[in-house]
Amino acid sequence: MKAISSRDNANVKRLHALATSARERRSSGSTLLDGAHLVQAALDAGWPLREIAVSEQGLQRPEIGAIIARCGALPALQLTDPLFAHVSPVDSPSGILAVIDIPHARMPKGLRESVLVLDGVQDAGNLGTILRTAAAAGLKEVLLTPGCAQAWSPRVLRAGMGGHFCLNIHEHVQVGEALRGYPGQILATGLGAGARELYDCDLRGPVAWLFGAEGQGLSDEVAALANGLVVIPMPGAVESLNVGAAAAICLFEQVRQRRADGRA
């Protein structure tokens, strides 16, 4: 393990750039995993790590020591606590970081199973939470329009808590092209003519779920793809739900129906 104590070190500058710059992540094709849980999730999923970095305090933690032992001959950097805080993508440094390559998911073709479409979701916490929910609900394909936050940014990864490693995440997708010929329902949430309550819908077959940005909702282009509109019943005095909560309710109502039908 290589010990580093200077901010002028090239490795420190590189890690700091990955933590803070979307442009650097795009140009290098790599990103940071922050925290023992996320690094462990990557290892459990067989996701290849390029290198790890640990803080002095992190070395004292048994769970981080176990990860280091598991990584074997993987390149490893030991940073002083102040340096680790400098390169950490979060306000409360976790003690361990890992560098991974950002996968290049191909444009999905011939989609036949349920799929999640996110249109302009810009909040990193919301995006990561929705990706984790999709993974928990058993979905495999996620399509993100160009207006979404960078799916593989450290903050989205941290919120996703390992869900990324169970999904095929397609960014900058032209959704109309991807869903051309889709055999199932294409559903959006919202009020409007012909909207049905979620719990009255038959969700046992494949569904392409469309969810829009936190404030603006779906763009006109994506909304026009829907062949059905659903509304989540809310008997309480609340006008709307956070997009993450709405996605979770819809996806797990589909899980419930499919389980009752013996399909999940």
Side-chain angles (χ1 to χ4, degrees):
M1 183 175 293
K2 182 178 180 180
I4 299 175
S5 59
S6 171
R7 280 198 182 194
D8 293 328
N9 183 277
N11 289 304
V12 171
K13 293 180 178 179
R14 176 172 51 83
L15 292 174
H16 182 262
L18 289 176
T20 58
S21 171
R23 178 179 297 178
E24 178 64 24
R25 291 190 291 270
R26 284 193 297 268
S27 64
S28 67
S30 57
T31 189
L32 293 180
L33 306 180
D34 174 79
H37 176 88
L38 193 53
V39 176
Q40 188 70 52
L43 290 170
D44 290 344
W47 207 271
L49 310 183
R50 286 175 50 182
E51 66 179 326
I52 57 174
V54 296
S55 68
E56 294 169 323
Q57 289 188 1
L59 282 174
Q60 309 305 315
R61 300 175 189 169
E63 68 273 19
I64 291 179
I67 290 173
I68 294 171
R70 185 174 176 182
C71 289
L74 188 74
L77 306 173
Q78 178 185 334
L79 308 182
T80 64
D81 291 334
L83 271 188
F84 192 91
H86 173 64
V87 303
S88 174
V90 297
D91 295 332
S92 299
S94 64
I96 185 168
L97 299 170
V99 179
I100 64 168
D101 291 327
I102 297 174
H104 299 286
R106 297 180 179 178
M107 171 65 77
K109 295 182 179 180
L111 293 169
R112 303 191 64 82
E113 301 300 325
S114 289
V115 58
L116 177 65
V117 177
L118 301 179
D119 182 28
V121 177
Q122 297 177 346
D123 183 84
N126 279 343
L127 180 54
T129 298
I130 295 169
L131 293 176
R132 186 182 187 191
T133 298
L139 271 70
K140 295 299 182 184
E141 306 292 339
V142 180
L143 314 183
L144 307 184
T145 68
C148 288
Q150 189 181 47
W152 293 88
S153 73
R155 290 186 181 275
V156 175
L157 280 158
R158 188 174 177 88
M161 296 292 285
H164 287 67
F165 309 128
C166 307
L167 299 168
N168 298 318
I169 301 172
H170 309 273
E171 298 188 87
H172 306 288
V173 173
Q174 299 303 315
V175 179
E177 178 182 348
L179 292 182
R180 185 174 293 119
Y182 184 70
Q185 301 180 80
I186 303 177
L187 300 180
T189 59
L191 301 173
R196 296 172 294 160
E197 289 198 357
L198 175 68
Y199 306 121
D200 293 333
C201 298
D202 184 349
L203 305 174
R204 293 171 295 173
V207 176
W209 294 99
L210 311 180
F211 294 99
E214 292 81 357
Q216 297 81 7
L218 291 169
S219 64
D220 292 342
E221 178 184 1
V222 174
L225 300 173
N227 53 31
L229 193 63
V230 300
V231 60
I232 299 171
M234 292 184 289
V238 175
E239 291 184 358
S240 62
L241 291 173
N242 171 279
V243 62
I249 291 168
C250 292
L251 295 183
F252 276 93
E253 171 60 14
Q254 185 178 24
V255 169
R256 186 195 68 81
Q257 291 190 19
R258 291 173 66 88
R259 283 176 61 85
D261 195 49
R263 300 191 188 189

